[in-house]
Amino acid sequence: MASTAEKVDLESEAIDILRRAIKLAKTIPGLLADGLAGSLAIALTVVSLKNSVKVQKEKCQLLSDRIVAVMVAVTTELMACDAEALARHENSVYALSSALYDIMILLQELISISRVKRIFKYDNASNELSLVRQQLDTAIDICDITDNMCTEDALDQLVTVIKEREDKLNMLFIHGQSLCSQPESLTDADLSKDVLRPVMAATYLSRSLNSGCFPGTRRTLLDQISAWFEGDSLEVSRVFWLSGLAGTGKSAISHTVCEKLHAVGRLGASFFFSRDEDEPDRQLVAPIIPTLAFQLASVNPTYSRNLFDALQAHPDAYFYTQQKQLKELIMDPLKKVPSLPSYLIILDALDQCDAEGGDLIPLIFRELSASGLNIKVLITSRPEQSIRGMFRISNSQRNHYMTAVLHDMDPSAVKEDITSYLANYLQRIQTSRTMTLPWPGDDVINDLAIRAGMSFTVAASIIDSLTNRYCLDKHCFSHTQLRGLLTSGSSIPWSLYSKVDHEYRQILHASMGNGYNSTPLYARFRKVVGGIILLHNSLSISALAELLEHDKKDLEEALNLLHSLFDIPSNPVQPIRMFHPSFRDFLLTRERCQDPRLYVSKGRAHAWLALCCLNKIMLSDHDESRIIRSTNLHIRFRALRFVPPALSYACQHWGDHLSQAADDPDFQKELEEKMFQFASTKLHYWIDMLNLEGKFILCIDQLAAATKWCAVSS
């Protein structure tokens, strides 16, 4: 049996080895690096804490020994796995991490128990330790590992694994030094791939060849970007920010710019961010700069040799802060390149990156402006609040940039581009199905262009669905049936919007998350956005908050998450506008939104809006009949100027919303009571208000709509 001194030595050794293992765990490729490193850190804390626990010391010791053995087995196995095998271990590692966290919390609680309470807590502590031991065993079963060796043997095995891992890394750098002296062998890129761990799926060369703009479209914008890049004046800004709402074609433009510059050797690097679940590395912050450095090395041999020198001096550069990565991997090696050509770096869809790229935007502004290098950066993103804020701060610090806003482009030019795109692909369908010309006809193409609005994603989604659903099977639809589907006025099946619907779900889930505290966010979303999409006239944030009786700051916070879907002016008195009507249909159709947390019940939302309108009229303090009914035009004009927009909207549309209100038990009784009060006390006032605004004719429409609701309700 081991002596107390031997046990103390063993525990000290365990702590040292676990610390070494944490650093090496971070070299495991993929998402599990952080999970394993976190689990090891918690295990280290548990081993350290257990000596301070004054109750159930033997149980705590046994638990500590088991945790060490388990972590050794898990670390050993994961360090030997390839990327595909690692993906299968994700759930098991996080289950283990959760069990270890519960153990750590319990030990901290046991340490805090006072001496007097210790006696009475003794049995309870035993039960709780047994419970967390069972949770640990369950996590071990999920991991499917063998951990039946003693602590001392387990530590020996972990030391062996660590030694092998360290030797492997050392060999990589020795190999890298050899590569640096032989530029002709750099095409293997063994060192840079092992050390930089670039995300190749995020680069331009990994994208589909037809991912760019349709030929002949976006000419004005592409010329503007080209002129900016070719400009060699010191006054030309080094950064170009292309922002646009979802579906406006930002990535297609980025791809086309990459294509043109790659052909002439001027594309330095690119990173196309994505929240695609199949490619999780494309949304991480850590690999951005290493991936850009890896691509620059393939473009400029001198920089490539400088980069290898940097990697030899900084073998763990992948784990550096962004600021240090940018300095050591890109800026310093580039400064050592004589007669450096001009290169463009493209960061596409930055809003899809975790934390919107971290400190990348301010770092680019600061480092590029001070470097004197002829490097320019094109950044595309949705107009998310955090990204707009970073650019605004940079601009205030005299770090100027070029900018273009896709959803503010000339609508006629965008429609012309979308029409050209649709006409070309519909012609391909016509050719493949040997349909008699003219098919489908200019009227149908124009109708589709109108439906697409400013969204290339909607246009592409319609074409893709038509191609896949109707054109692959030549006997599926006749000429008449297919043309009838596209005839102006007919409704396009919701399945044709599958691509844009996926994008909507991505945006909304990323904005609100799936955590335990996300439920209130979704409830607020349905209330606020459900109201906006069913308004008959667009309202400003101020007017909307007043109509919905919603706190203005909370409303602004809710909408700040949705800049990708709404055009939200910085001026609070200007109206909010929905980017594309397909978003309204998406939220109102269960089959399209799929997530019940996003679904907006049309009837229920109209009932709530009707109630808001009636409340606004009932509570209005604008009831000054003498002024409203005055024959003095000057007085009436002054009164009209002070009619709040929310009150004006309520007077004009309460009946419209009421006529579409569902027979909802949550609103039905309240609506009935409010209608009775309105008819008894505010009917004349309402008529006077509409008359004041010169819209007396609406009285008939609203009363007719209300009559319809009363008939259905009764």
Side-chain angles (χ1 to χ4, degrees):
M1 184 174 178
S3 66
T4 303
E6 289 173 336
K7 285 186 177 181
V8 171
D9 290 341
L10 192 61
E11 288 167 2
S12 178
E13 182 184 0
I15 291 173
D16 290 339
I17 292 173
L18 285 174
R19 283 174 178 160
R20 289 174 65 189
I22 289 174
K23 185 174 181 180
L24 283 175
K26 293 181 179 179
T27 66
I28 294 175
L31 294 175
L32 278 187
D34 290 338
L36 179 58
S39 298
L40 285 166
I42 297 173
L44 177 62
T45 303
V46 169
V47 173
S48 303
L49 284 176
K50 69 107 174 60
N51 288 330
S52 301
V53 179
K54 303 303 182 184
V55 295
Q56 295 290 321
K57 294 178 70 67
E58 185 177 350
K59 270 196 170 185
C60 290
Q61 181 64 55
L62 292 173
L63 188 60
S64 173
D65 292 345
R66 179 141 174 81
I67 287 171
V68 171
V70 168
M71 294 314 301
V72 167
V74 170
T75 306
T76 303
E77 180 167 339
L78 292 182
M79 285 186 177
C81 286
D82 56 21
E84 184 177 349
L86 283 172
R88 295 195 295 268
H89 284 282
E90 183 175 345
N91 290 336
S92 59
V93 168
Y94 284 101
L96 180 61
S97 178
S98 178
L100 290 171
Y101 181 79
D102 289 342
I103 293 171
M104 180 183 71
I105 296 300
L106 176 59
L107 292 186
Q108 290 173 338
E109 290 176 354
L110 294 179
I111 291 171
S112 67
I113 296 174
S114 69
R115 184 176 181 184
V116 174
K117 292 181 179 178
R118 241 176 261 149
I119 301 170
F120 302 100
K121 283 277 187 177
Y122 185 87
D123 291 337
N124 193 34
S126 176
N127 293 336
E128 290 180 350
L129 283 168
S130 297
L131 180 61
V132 294
R133 173 63 183 262
Q134 291 173 9
Q135 292 174 347
L136 179 64
D137 290 341
T138 301
I140 293 169
D141 291 340
I142 295 174
C143 290
D144 191 25
I145 58 170
T146 303
D147 65 311
N148 54 4
M149 65 182 74
C150 69
T151 303
E152 192 168 2
D153 291 341
L155 289 173
D156 289 340
Q157 182 174 339
L158 182 53
V159 169
T160 302
V161 171
I162 290 174
K163 183 76 167 58
E164 290 175 353
R165 192 79 178 179
E166 289 173 341
D167 288 345
K168 182 179 179 181
L169 289 174
N170 288 335
M171 287 300 295
L172 284 170
F173 292 114
I174 293 172
H175 179 54
Q177 187 175 17
S178 172
L179 288 175
C180 287
S181 62
Q182 301 176 35
E184 64 274 7
S185 66
L186 289 179
T187 53
D188 294 336
D190 293 328
L191 175 66
S192 51
K193 275 196 173 181
D194 281 317
V195 179
L196 292 175
R197 294 159 60 178
V199 182
M200 300 309 297
T203 65
Y204 155 71
L205 292 176
S206 298
R207 291 172 59 80
S208 170
L209 291 176
N210 61 351
S211 299
C213 299
F214 183 72
T217 62
R218 299 294 198 189
R219 286 171 294 191
T220 302
L221 179 58
L222 291 171
D223 288 345
Q224 181 184 357
I225 294 173
S226 178
W228 161 76
F229 176 67
E230 297 295 342
D232 56 3
S233 169
L234 293 176
E235 297 178 357
V236 175
S237 57
R238 290 285 184 265
V239 178
F240 192 116
W241 179 33
L242 177 65
S243 72
L245 300 174
T248 47
K250 299 179 294 295
S251 294
I253 292 167
S254 294
H255 182 97
T256 300
V257 174
C258 284
E259 191 174 50
K260 291 178 180 296
L261 293 181
H262 181 264
V264 294
R266 305 282 292 281
L267 177 64
S270 60
F271 201 110
F272 286 78
F273 298 96
S274 171
R275 291 197 183 278
D276 193 325
E277 294 178 357
D278 295 333
E279 297 174 320
D281 287 350
R282 289 178 62 186
Q283 59 183 285
L284 300 180
V285 173
I288 300 174
I289 293 174
T291 303
L292 299 178
F294 178 81
Q295 295 173 81
L296 280 165
S298 68
V299 174
N300 191 294
T302 306
Y303 167 79
S304 181
R305 288 190 289 270
N306 296 341
L307 177 62
F308 278 127
D309 291 339
L311 291 175
Q312 194 173 7
H314 305 279
D316 53 350
Y318 183 88
F319 304 104
Y320 284 179
T321 63
Q322 282 186 305
Q323 182 175 1
K324 195 169 182 181
Q325 277 186 342
L326 188 63
K327 179 181 184 299
E328 303 295 348
L329 300 183
I330 293 184
M331 291 302 174
D332 287 354
L334 281 175
K335 289 175 183 177
K336 298 175 184 177
V337 178
S339 303
L340 180 72
S342 58
Y343 290 118
L344 180 65
I345 293 174
I346 294 182
L347 302 172
D348 179 75
L350 187 62
D351 55 279
Q352 299 287 289
C353 180
D354 292 342
E356 285 77 36
D359 297 326
L360 198 56
I361 291 177
L363 279 174
I364 286 173
F365 274 116
R366 186 167 66 246
E367 299 298 330
L368 269 185
S369 59
S371 69
L373 297 171
N374 197 10
I375 301 292
K376 293 182 180 177
V377 181
L378 170 65
I379 299 173
T380 77
S381 77
R382 295 167 183 159
E384 304 291 2
Q385 182 189 23
S386 55
I387 296 178
R388 289 185 295 116
M390 284 188 279
F391 274 102
R392 188 163 52 246
I393 292 171
S394 297
N395 197 43
S396 68
Q397 297 171 345
R398 299 184 180 278
N399 294 317
H400 301 300
Y401 58 92
M402 290 281 288
T403 186
V405 181
L406 281 174
H407 52 274
D408 285 346
M409 296 285 180
D410 179 9
S412 61
V414 177
K415 184 185 176 185
E416 183 180 341
D417 286 346
I418 288 180
T419 300
S420 175
Y421 168 83
L422 290 169
N424 180 276
Y425 279 95
L426 286 171
Q427 184 180 18
R428 296 184 189 184
I429 293 176
Q430 181 272 325
T431 302
S432 67
R433 297 201 56 179
T434 61
M435 291 182 176
T436 306
L437 292 174
W439 185 93
D442 292 341
D443 57 335
V444 172
I445 295 174
N446 183 63
D447 179 65
L448 286 178
I450 292 172
R451 297 189 194 203
M454 301 277 284
S455 175
F456 276 87
T457 299
V458 173
S461 184
I462 292 173
I463 290 296
D464 287 349
S465 298
L466 285 173
T467 302
N468 295 333
R469 184 174 177 181
Y470 303 115
C471 300
L472 294 180
D473 182 359
K474 293 188 177 183
H475 304 289
C476 183
F477 274 79
S478 68
H479 175 189
T480 303
Q481 288 172 314
L482 188 54
R483 194 179 189 285
L485 176 72
L486 302 177
T487 298
S488 179
S490 65
S491 59
I492 291 184
W494 58 263
S495 58
L496 295 187
Y497 290 103
S498 57
K499 183 185 293 184
V500 75
D501 288 351
H502 174 71
E503 191 161 349
Y504 287 150
R505 282 190 293 272
Q506 261 192 344
I507 294 170
L508 295 174
H509 287 154
S511 298
M512 286 171 283
N514 289 292
Y516 74 93
N517 62 341
S518 64
T519 301
L521 294 179
Y522 282 98
R524 182 179 67 178
F525 166 81
R526 290 191 299 274
K527 178 181 177 182
V528 172
V529 176
I532 293 174
I533 63 174
L534 292 176
L535 289 176
H536 289 270
N537 300 328
S538 298
L539 293 176
S540 67
I541 288 181
S542 299
L544 187 64
E546 187 179 346
L547 178 67
L548 303 184
E549 296 177 346
H550 197 100
D551 179 73
K552 183 181 174 184
K553 288 192 177 299
D554 188 65
L555 185 64
E556 289 174 340
E557 181 182 315
L559 293 174
N560 276 334
L561 300 172
L562 302 171
H563 273 274
S564 300
L565 302 168
F566 291 95
D567 184 7
I568 305 171
S570 56
N571 187 336
V573 299
Q574 291 182 335
I576 304 163
R577 301 191 185 280
M578 185 168 52
F579 171 57
H580 196 275
S582 64
F583 181 57
R584 178 197 297 114
D585 299 335
F586 164 79
L587 293 177
L588 297 175
T589 309
R590 287 184 187 274
E591 295 85 354
R592 288 183 62 180
C593 69
Q594 298 180 9
D595 187 341
R597 296 173 301 176
L598 301 175
Y599 172 66
V600 174
S601 169
K602 186 175 182 179
R604 185 178 176 83
H606 273 298
W608 182 65
L609 282 171
L611 195 59
C612 289
C613 288
L614 290 170
N615 279 333
K616 187 62 192 169
I617 297 172
M618 296 298 298
L619 298 175
S620 173
D621 58 2
H622 200 77
D623 188 5
E624 300 181 24
S625 299
R626 183 181 60 82
I627 295 177
I628 293 175
R629 298 176 184 178
S630 173
T631 56
N632 186 312
L633 294 179
H634 178 67
I635 294 176
R636 288 175 60 83
F637 178 72
R638 286 186 60 192
L640 181 59
R641 285 177 57 195
F642 292 103
V643 175
L647 176 60
S648 176
Y649 179 90
C651 289
Q652 294 178 44
H653 297 294
W654 65 268
D656 294 326
H657 293 300
L658 188 64
S659 68
Q660 300 179 70
D663 186 10
D664 194 299
D666 291 340
F667 292 111
Q668 182 73 13
K669 186 177 180 180
E670 193 174 359
L671 275 172
E672 290 174 357
E673 293 175 353
K674 198 65 66 176
M675 278 295 296
F676 179 78
Q677 294 172 14
F678 170 75
S680 303
T681 64
K682 289 286 185 175
L683 187 61
H684 287 167
Y685 165 73
W686 165 67
I687 293 173
D688 286 339
M689 284 297 300
L690 285 181
N691 189 40
L692 176 67
E693 293 189 279
K695 298 178 180 178
F696 179 78
I697 189 66
L698 291 179
C699 290
I700 300 172
D701 297 335
Q702 298 304 295
L703 288 173
T707 302
K708 186 199 310 184
W709 175 83
C710 291
V712 174
S713 177
S714 61

